[in-house]
Amino acid sequence: MTVPISATAAQAHVSPLKVTPASPLFLREDEIRRGIELLYFGYTSMIRGADAILEAQGLGRAHHRSLYFIARRPGLSVGELISLLGITKQSLGRVLNDLGHRELVEQRVGVADRRQRLLTLTASGAALEARLFTELERSMARAYGEAGQQAVTGFWAVLMGLVPPADRPQVEALQS
Amino acid sequence: MTVPISATAAQAHVSPLKVTPASPLFLREDEIRRGIELLYFGYTSMIRGADAILEAQGLGRAHHRSLYFIARRPGLSVGELISLLGITKQSLGRVLNDLGHRELVEQRVGVADRRQRLLTLTASGAALEARLFTELERSMARAYGEAGQQAVTGFWAVLMGLVPPADRPQVEALQS
DNA sequence: GCAGATAAGTCAACATGACTGTCCCAATTT
DNA sequence: AAATTGGGACAGTCATGTTGACTTATCTGC
């Protein structure tokens, strides 16, 4: 964590970042397009920060996503990770093989169901994930700080609204 | 446009989508991770809707991005599009060749600078882009409507905060 | 007017990360 | 005992990105 865990950090910016506010006619095409574009540029800006670290390790974004979710939910099964990432078993297989051979991820046999392989990070895997997380966090914490607490709540609400209702429980479940 | 241009549309949902609000300690790791995850799932949920249309045309997401920005800024140059997409000339070249051969995009010689190739959509290109936009819009309009006008302003503020300040003018410039 | 810079296009080779289809094994469920 | 499920593997393909080098046309500064 590069950000102190204190309320004063949240108050570092007394005046939130000014953006043109949404108008009462906020479903007009212009305002829809503004959301599409900001979502595209915001998303790509955030993840770009981790790319240099990944490239130095010979890894890609697919590896990062797996590391991230294994860090977030230690002991999740291969099937759960496939479901979160929305990719096929074959696609994930190669990524997990890479991460296993580099000793960044370990598998244990499931306790309740011995067919399952439960995924955890090794010490070096956790260290790498922490470095990658710090990059994302730097970007996100700056954005949160500039926009302010109330804006963050709105940010979450719109993003959750983009997720099809059927998929929302899975996203909510990531919150501990 | 599938959404009526009227103030009543914005009031269709009287009670905004409830999400756990950001806490005063909104720079804690948990709340940063929540933003990272919602951004990932929200972004992928939004663009997934257009994939079926693209696949039926034998096109991919790279083609969609080009069509989108050419629709947004008709007459932009190849170099401007490269800058917006953040890819190389070679990568874009293949996409523009595809779109040209299918007669979805046209090039005109620049007026001020005859080295430039200014890009516009053909009638069929505009029709396809409109269908793709409608898919994104359906998702975004639902999210806006569920979250409410004030949330949308916060959504924009955080996303703009994610964009490095040096890149912000380019994003702002897309707004007409 | 000429030299150098710039906008765009192209060729070749390559990496990543997704896909499909098929087959297999072990463990669980019915 | 049979069917289903979780996971792994092989083979092939496709989309989309990369670097490097080269060409052509055009613009700009001296």
Side-chain angles (χ1 to χ4, degrees), chain B residues 4-19:
Chain B
I5 302 178
S6 77
T8 53
Q11 293 157 2
H13 298 78
V14 284
S15 61
L17 177 67
K18 275 167 61 178
V19 293

Side-chain angles (χ1 to χ4, degrees), chain A residues 60-63 65 86-88 90-91 94 113-115:
Chain A
R61 290 178 179 175
H63 302 93
R65 287 194 289 272
I87 61 176
T88 60
Q90 293 79 357
S91 297
R94 189 175 21 199
D113 185 336
R114 290 164 46 78
R115 291 172 304 182

Side-chain angles (χ1 to χ4, degrees), chain A residues 3-13 141 144-146, chain B residues 24-28:
Chain A
V3 171
I5 302 178
S6 78
T8 54
Q11 295 157 2
H13 297 81
Y144 277 14
E146 287 187 29
Chain B
L25 307 173
F26 70 107
L27 295 179
R28 287 179 312 186

Side-chain angles (χ1 to χ4, degrees), chain A:
Chain A
M1 292 284 293
T2 59
V3 171
I5 302 178
S6 78
T8 54
Q11 295 157 2
H13 297 81
V14 286
S15 60
L17 176 67
K18 275 166 57 177
V19 292
T20 308
S23 78
L25 305 173
F26 69 108
L27 295 178
R28 286 179 312 186
E29 173 163 341
D30 265 4
E31 311 211 349
I32 298 287
R33 285 203 182 267
R34 182 161 168 81
I36 292 169
E37 290 151 19
L38 282 169
L39 190 49
Y40 171 70
F41 288 112
Y43 177 73
T44 58
S45 295
M46 180 189 72
I47 62 175
R48 193 165 299 135
D51 286 351
I53 297 172
L54 287 166
E55 191 178 4
Q57 309 280 324
L59 301 175
R61 290 178 179 175
H63 302 93
H64 186 186
R65 287 194 289 272
S66 289
L67 287 173
Y68 180 92
F69 286 116
I70 297 170
R72 183 66 155 154
R73 280 279 163 254
L76 91 173
S77 70
V78 171
E80 288 167 340
L81 185 53
I82 285 171
S83 171
L84 278 172
L85 296 174
I87 61 176
T88 60
K89 184 172 57 167
Q90 293 79 357
S91 297
L92 180 60
R94 189 175 21 199
V95 172
L96 285 184
N97 279 337
D98 288 350
L99 295 174
H101 291 149
R102 290 169 145 85
E103 299 189 348
L104 298 170
V105 167
E106 280 179 340
Q107 303 195 352
R108 301 190 325 273
V109 170
V111 282
D113 185 336
R114 290 164 46 78
R115 291 172 304 182
Q116 293 184 331
R117 297 294 177 271
L118 307 185
L119 303 166
T120 52
L121 298 182
T122 64
S124 58
L128 175 57
E129 196 279 334
R131 285 179 58 210
L132 292 165
F133 174 71
T134 298
E135 278 302 306
L136 302 188
E137 179 187 46
R138 165 162 38 209
S139 180
M140 189 64 73
R142 180 169 60 82
Y144 277 14
E146 287 187 29
Q149 176 182 349
Q150 196 176 16
V152 172
T153 300
F155 173 69
W156 290 347
V158 174
L159 289 173
M160 187 61 85
L162 284 171
V163 177
D167 297 345
R168 288 180 197 172
Q170 193 174 29
V171 178
E172 297 278 14
L174 283 170
Q175 298 298 115
S176 32

Side-chain angles (χ1 to χ4, degrees), chain B residues 47-112:
Chain B
I47 62 175
R48 193 163 301 134
D51 285 350
I53 297 172
L54 288 166
E55 192 179 3
Q57 310 279 323
L59 300 175
R61 290 177 180 175
H63 302 93
H64 187 186
R65 287 193 289 274
S66 288
L67 287 173
Y68 180 93
F69 285 116
I70 297 170
R72 184 64 157 154
R73 280 279 163 254
L76 91 173
S77 70
V78 171
E80 287 167 340
L81 185 52
I82 285 171
S83 172
L84 277 172
L85 295 174
I87 61 176
T88 60
K89 186 173 52 167
Q90 293 78 356
S91 297
L92 181 60
R94 187 173 21 197
V95 171
L96 286 184
N97 279 337
D98 288 349
L99 295 175
H101 291 148
R102 288 162 199 265
E103 299 188 349
L104 298 169
V105 166
E106 281 179 340
Q107 301 194 354
R108 303 191 324 273
V109 170
V111 280

